[in-house]
Each structure stands twice: as C-alpha cells, then as structure tokens.
Amino acid sequence: MTLRTKQWVIAALATVFLVSLVFVQWMEVIRKSEESGQRPVSIAVPASSKACADCHGSTTPALVDHWEGSTHARKGVACVECHSAETDDADSFEHYGVTIATIVTPRDCGGCHAEVVAEFTGSHHAKAGNILASLDNFLAESVEGARMPFNPHSETPGRSVDLVSGSASVDVGCKQCHGSKIGFQSSDGGVITVDDLRPDADGKPTNRDAVARIARNENGKPLLDASTWPNTGIGRLNLDGSLGSCSACHSRHDFSPRRARQPENCGKCHLGPDHPQKEIYEESKHGVAYRDLRETMNLDAEDWVLGVDYTQAPTCATCHMSGHSRNDGKVTHDPGLRISWTNRPPVSLVMDTDINNKVVTSTDPAERAQLVSDTWQQKRQRMKDVCGHCHTPDYINGFYEQYDDLVILYNEKFAKPGIAIMKALADSGLRTPTQFDEEIEWIWFYLWHHEGRRARHGAAMMAPDYAHWHGMYEVAERFYMELIPVAQEMAAHGTATQKAAVDAVIDEVLARPEHQWFLADRAARQAAAHAAPEVEQ
C-alpha cells in the first residue's frame, strides 16, 4: 500500500469518526431538547395501542400527553402493553375488543422490570400495608373514627347524610401512604379483597365463587370499593397478591425518572410530627445545596450516577437508592439496604436482617448469628460509600459516632425505662388492655412515637434542632414532668401491692446515675421542708 493510499484510508476513517461524533452529539442535543420540552418527543405508538391513544387523546388528553413524554413512548411501550390482562384475571374486562386490567400492579410491571420488582417486594416499603390493625391504625380506626358506620347526630345542611363513615380517617390518611387491601364491590353488598380471591403463584384467583360475586357496571368493568380506591400506598395489597404501587414514586403514565430523583417526591409520606424527613432535609445543608444547585444536577441523565453525572448535592434517592461511582452505578429499589438503625419502634434496633429482610430481634448471640443474612455493618458501609463522594472518612465516622451515641442515649435513658414503667402498670392491673383510654398511654405515645422519633431522625440526617429542641428536650420534659408523675399517681390510687410493684420499677429507674440530678434536687427540697420549723398560726 502506497503512502498516498494510506493517507486516503486514514482520512476516510477520520471522516467516519468525525461524522459519528457529530451524530452522537446531535442525538444527545435532540434528547436534551425533547426532555426540556423544546422539541416534540419522538414517540412510537404501536398498532395495538393506536386506537387507545386516539380515543383517550380526546377523553383524557392529559393522560396521553404524560405518556407521550415518557421513556415508554419512545420505546414503543403503550396502553395495551401495560394494561393487558387475561380473561381469568379477577380485575379483567373487555374494553373495545381488548381485555385489559382494572389496576396495573407491580406484577404487571415485573414483566419487563423483574429485578426492580423483586428488590421492591423484599423491602420494608412493600410491607407498609401491614399497619392495618396495628397500634398506629387503632388510633385512626377507633380513637379518631369507628370500626363501623354510625348514625349522624344532626342534619348536614344541603346534604342528605344517612350514615357516617367510621373509616374516613383511615381511608384518606393511613391507606394513602401505607396502602391497604384493594377491594371490589360485591354483588351481595360486601367487599372482595385478595383474601377472598386467594390468588396462586401466578396471581390468578383460585376462588371462582368470589370472582363471580364481583359487581360490574353496564360495560362489564369491575366496581372498586371507594374506601380502598384511589390508592397509591407504597405497601398496597393488590388483588393478584402482589405488594405495592409503582406509581407511588413513579407517577402514572410518564414514569419520570427525573421526578423520582427529586426530594419532593418523597414528601407525601415522609413528613410530619413522627418522621419529619422532608422538613429535616429542606433545612439541612444537603437541602440548601440542592435548592441552590438543582439546575446543574443533570436530573435528566439516563443513569444519573453520583460521581459521574453529578456531585453538587444529594437527594433522598441519592443516599438511599441511586447508583454511584463506587457500586458500578447500581440502583436499588430497597431503601433499607443502606440503613443501619431502624428508628421506627419505641426502642431503636440495629438493622441486622434475615433472609426475608426482616429485622432480627433475638438477643441470643448464637441465634442471631444463624438468622442474620445482612448485617447493620454491611448496610452502613453501603451508605458510607455514598457519603464518601463528598466527605472524608474522619467526617463520616465522626458523624456516625454522634448518631449512634444519640440513639443509644435515647434508648437507655428514656425508651427502655418507659417500656418498663408501662409494663409494670399493665402487669399490676393499673392500666387496662385497651390503648389510649388512659392519659399515660397518650403521654407514652407522644414520647416515643413523635418526640423520640424526631430526635432519632434528626440525628440520622444532621438536623441539630430536630435532634434537640424538637427531640430530646421534649422527650425529657415528657418523661420527667408527665410520664413519671402520672405513673406515680396511678400507683398511689392502687392497692398496696399494686403501688409497691410500680414504685419499685420507678425507684429502680430513677436510682440510676443518669437520673440523679432529678432525685438529688428533690431530696434536698424535701429535707429542707421537713427541717424548717412550723410557723405558729
């Protein structure tokens, strides 16, 4: 080959390389402009869904518009691909010649996203629906409402109200975050849930009698029970046996990764007096940096890997779910894989979990060694790998030492003693089995469920005001000024045996060194009062 020929070959290859670079850059410009709304998105409507898109473009145009902006639309995944069902599915019905599902569940999404659904199903999020019939839900089911409908006590001007829904607080509160059993109206006036349908491993109902009782409208569509739908609760119990709702985080029809990456997406559930993560994040340095630098965080990136696509600030997803440069960009749909303490119960527990991702509570070291599948240390290291993109090892280790110390202080000084005092009152018969029918049960609930959680979450997310003033300060005030005095008063009104049993527990708690400040001053005041001469009248 002559020199001239080699030059031509090199020139040709260089031209091809240059053209390919220009083409790739042009495609990236198109993608960015489509995502920013500056250019219409290139969508592919499959023939199977064209009639759906055309019809719903008139009847529910926003729904179609959202879908057209999705990755699904660009890849030719449309209405029928997600909503298709088989005739033996409990929620199926024929809609203009196509058999579709009334509710799209994680089982349906798993047809394409099997690994994601498997991760989510093993997470604590997927179990959130188990709050039903728990202590928390007793508040909404009975204390705030009633476990049955009841008659109104007077007229509602302009409305005809025959019965009051006792479950209203549960329906619009608990279920909308935690999820619940989705139900169909039954032809006999009842509600049909997953318990009645008894789905098999493939999600097919095995109780055909229950299927036959599902009430339907004139078009054959199953009628959903209004107390269970709408519902995008993260731990929803679906009719096919699957758990959760993908649209709880990934909004319906556009399934925007950009939106799921932003902290506001988590705020529907993670806020309020008992778990103010949203408020804590917003006021933290992390939240301040996010608001300041949001436009430079490359939220539209296809993979959005920390340390590759952005470094400006973390969001909820960054720390708990998203991929980063030290784990090969691997996203997880189980937020618990990077959490080393569970601060949900009255006493925080380390997140040693078994093969089913359940926290191991056994105190026997040998039994724990047999049961633990994923240790709290492994979970912590996963989070440290995220933190290490911005912080030094000394900084990270110091933070975790402070966090651990606060949690253990709360556990040992207030939570465990509180449990012992509440148990002594119950064991001695001074407290009834019914929750929230006595003042001390409200006091204790405030202490651990609201103030104690706030303190622990504040320490977990570097929020000093929540850890102290909204946390430990209020825990201490509730413990010394309310829990102890009310428990002593209840004991004083009991029999001698009851009083002795409760006083023994309280005295044992207060005799510990960490409570000496409280007893010492009290003893000095009492001694001074007894030593003072009586004043003549």
Side-chain angles (χ1 to χ4, degrees), residues 492-534:
H493 285 86
T495 65
T497 302
Q498 290 173 320
K499 184 178 186 304
V502 175
D503 283 347
V505 173
I506 295 175
D507 290 344
E508 192 276 330
V509 167
L510 294 180
R512 297 172 186 171
E514 62 270 26
H515 300 291
Q516 283 304 294
W517 73 272
F518 185 68
L519 283 186
D521 286 350
R522 177 177 291 185
R525 288 195 302 269
Q526 290 175 343
H530 288 304
E534 293 185 3

Side-chain angles (χ1 to χ4, degrees), residues 394-443:
D394 286 345
Y395 189 98
I396 298 167
N397 293 333
F399 156 73
Y400 269 115
E401 185 170 343
Q402 292 177 4
Y403 173 35
D404 291 345
D405 287 348
L406 186 284
V407 171
I408 294 170
L409 171 64
Y410 159 81
N411 278 353
E412 299 301 325
K413 184 169 185 179
F414 299 113
K416 291 180 181 179
I419 288 175
I421 292 168
M422 295 298 288
K423 183 177 184 299
L425 289 168
D427 290 347
S428 64
L430 290 172
R431 188 163 69 86
T432 69
T434 301
Q435 296 293 321
F436 300 106
D437 64 336
E438 291 155 318
E439 180 186 11
I440 199 165
E441 289 160 348
W442 293 81
I443 293 170

